[in-house]
Amino acid sequence: MDLFRPVPLPNVEMSGRLQFSDPDVEAAYRHQKFIDTRFIVVLVGFAAAFLAVGLWAWDWAIDPSSAVRVLWLRLLLGAILLVYPVAILAGFPQKFLGPLFAVLVLAAETVFLHLLSRLDSGVVYGIAGFMYWFMLPVFLGLSLPARINGVCFILFALLPNMLVPLGMSPDFELIKYNALIWPTCAMGIFITLLLDQLYRRVFIYRRKVETLASIDDLTGIANRRHFMEISARVLESSRRHGTPVSLIMFDIDHFKPINDNYGHPIGDQVLRHVADILKKSLRKSDFPARYGGEEFAVILPQTMPEKSFIAAEKVRKKIMAEPLILDNEAIHMRVSAGATGASVVSDNMTLEHLIKKADDALYQAKRRGRNQVVLDFG
């Protein structure tokens, strides 16, 4: 249930230009980037395969007599390029996509070099065609880490320099190729790094917005809106798996006199103090939130109603035992609480119904003299 807990804004400082200093943030960034870009990558992958086959028209234009004999190479080229988008759609493990991408494009580049050698004047006119291979990593590699993509660029540029000396396409003019390709390669790497930096900024801003939208900025715990979202998910999970769930509502007793006597800044410190005690007193699976004003709410997954009473009592006693220490005095606080829950969540039980029962129990505690917990079995 830890996934229900709101995550504070992480350390998003960069240890270098290519990664975040926090490994968990870097992993989250890479996963989010993959999720956001995979649709584009798949579309570009299919388009690249179609282009590789469709450029058979270029083969026909420069050498009609040989074009028919190299059609199968064009089809093979397209099939190789199709593997990558299909692998993404099939849910291929993300950590293996980088090596798969490099192998596939290197294989396709090898087939392309062989294709050029079978066309009259192909190795002459085909040098410019290699520029296509440096468009692929920019778009097909969007989902990959920038470092892996940069390595792929260099491997693509080096491949003909390794294959031609080994006897493949001996008429291929490496001097002209390198003069054209290495500036193109450098530009591709630059664009890849630029896009990566841009997306990192988007990721940082997104995390900040998500944090601000879910956290109460005064107390640092979840706000009411986020509490309602998470609690609804917890309730539905309990209904689906047949597990118990409980909910507690806390209210600080006589909070208005604290504000009147000490001022609102001290009242804010009291709210933060109570929120800190809540966080320290509850289990990791429990989800506390500031519900509004001086009222707090907690959803407790996999918790019987009787256990929620014990949890609420623990918090109440801890708040009573730990006053807020100021320069000249200690401010003692008391809280009232209403607890409720269900051992089995019925189909007609709603979150609003559960909150109302806890709220009713809370006001019973208020009417009975405050500084106590009332349990409503419903």
Side-chain angles (χ1 to χ4, degrees):
M1 285 294 181
D2 285 351
L3 61 92
F4 294 137
R5 183 171 294 277
V7 181
L9 184 66
N11 174 17
V12 290
E13 294 181 358
M14 312 265 287
S15 61
R17 292 185 177 182
L18 297 180
Q19 64 180 25
F20 293 111
S21 56
D22 187 330
D24 291 336
V25 177
E26 179 66 22
Y29 160 73
R30 292 185 179 182
H31 178 70
Q32 189 63 55
K33 183 183 178 185
F34 174 77
I35 296 299
D36 290 347
T37 59
R38 61 183 174 183
F39 179 70
I40 297 174
V41 171
V42 167
L43 287 181
V44 172
F46 282 111
F50 177 79
L51 178 66
V53 176
L55 282 175
W56 178 74
W58 177 80
D59 303 339
W60 182 271
I62 66 169
D63 187 1
S65 61
S66 302
V68 176
R69 293 197 299 271
V70 299
L71 178 58
W72 72 273
L73 288 171
R74 282 287 177 187
L75 294 173
L76 176 61
L77 202 58
I80 292 172
L81 293 175
L82 272 178
V83 172
Y84 188 66
V86 170
I88 293 177
L89 290 175
F92 196 75
Q94 190 177 339
K95 63 181 179 180
F96 297 127
L97 283 176
L100 176 66
F101 174 69
V103 168
L104 290 173
V105 179
L106 287 173
E109 195 177 10
T110 302
V111 171
F112 181 65
L113 185 62
H114 179 59
L115 184 153
L116 295 179
S117 68
R118 302 190 65 175
L119 294 171
D120 185 30
S121 300
V123 291
V124 176
Y125 294 106
I127 289 179
F130 273 90
M131 295 180 70
Y132 286 115
W133 301 108
F134 295 90
M135 294 169 57
L136 291 180
V138 171
F139 297 104
L140 280 179
L142 274 176
S143 297
L144 301 176
R147 286 180 175 175
I148 293 179
N149 220 0
V151 171
C152 288
F153 269 105
I154 295 172
L155 289 175
F156 302 156
L158 285 174
L159 186 64
N161 289 281
M162 294 184 287
L163 293 179
V164 172
L166 292 176
M168 181 176 286
S169 298
D171 296 330
F172 191 76
E173 300 183 61
L174 286 176
I175 294 177
K176 291 181 179 179
Y177 164 82
N178 285 307
L180 176 68
I181 289 305
W182 285 107
T184 306
C185 178
M187 181 62 71
I189 293 174
F190 174 75
I191 293 173
T192 295
L193 295 178
L194 199 64
L195 289 174
D196 184 72
Q197 291 299 298
L198 176 62
Y199 196 82
R200 285 178 186 275
R201 290 182 180 274
V202 171
F203 175 77
I204 291 172
Y205 294 145
R206 177 187 289 176
R207 292 295 290 266
K208 286 181 178 179
V209 169
E210 289 174 350
T211 299
L212 292 173
S214 62
I215 301 297
D216 176 62
D217 58 356
L218 177 61
T219 61
I221 60 177
N223 58 25
R224 179 171 178 166
R225 183 193 64 82
H226 195 47
F227 175 79
M228 298 298 285
E229 290 177 355
I230 297 303
S231 297
R233 288 163 56 186
V234 172
L235 191 66
E236 182 56 36
S237 177
S238 297
R239 190 188 338 266
R240 189 167 57 250
H241 295 103
T243 56
V245 65
S246 294
L247 191 142
I248 307 171
M249 300 292 288
F250 292 96
D251 189 86
I252 302 175
D253 295 332
H254 303 298
F255 182 71
K256 187 176 184 302
I258 294 176
N259 271 336
D260 293 342
N261 295 332
Y262 296 97
H264 288 283
I266 300 302
D268 290 346
Q269 289 189 47
V270 168
L271 291 171
R272 284 193 288 267
H273 185 67
V274 170
D276 288 341
I277 291 176
L278 271 175
K279 288 189 291 185
K280 289 185 290 187
S281 303
L282 296 167
R283 304 170 304 178
K284 287 185 177 181
S285 58
D286 300 332
F287 191 85
R290 184 184 177 196
Y291 196 73
E294 65 271 23
E295 198 168 17
F296 296 84
V298 183
I299 187 81
L300 301 93
Q302 299 180 14
T303 304
M304 297 292 287
E306 309 90 271
K307 296 291 186 180
S308 69
F309 177 84
I310 296 172
E313 267 290 292
K314 177 182 176 182
V315 171
R316 184 189 68 81
K317 291 177 180 178
K318 197 169 185 65
I319 289 173
M320 189 168 58
E322 296 184 12
L324 175 63
I325 306 299
L326 300 176
D327 293 337
N328 300 320
E329 61 180 305
I331 298 179
H332 293 271
M333 290 154 287
R334 304 287 186 270
V335 296
S336 299
T340 190
S343 56
V344 177
V345 180
S346 62
D347 290 339
N348 60 353
M349 177 177 284
T350 64
L351 177 60
E352 290 73 17
H353 175 65
L354 203 61
I355 291 174
K356 186 179 184 308
K357 290 206 301 178
D359 212 35
D360 289 344
L362 169 62
Y363 280 100
Q364 284 187 48
K366 292 281 190 182
R367 287 193 294 269
R368 293 178 185 179
R370 295 184 170 86
N371 190 30
Q372 58 185 282
V373 179
V374 170
L375 174 62
D376 181 354
F377 282 98

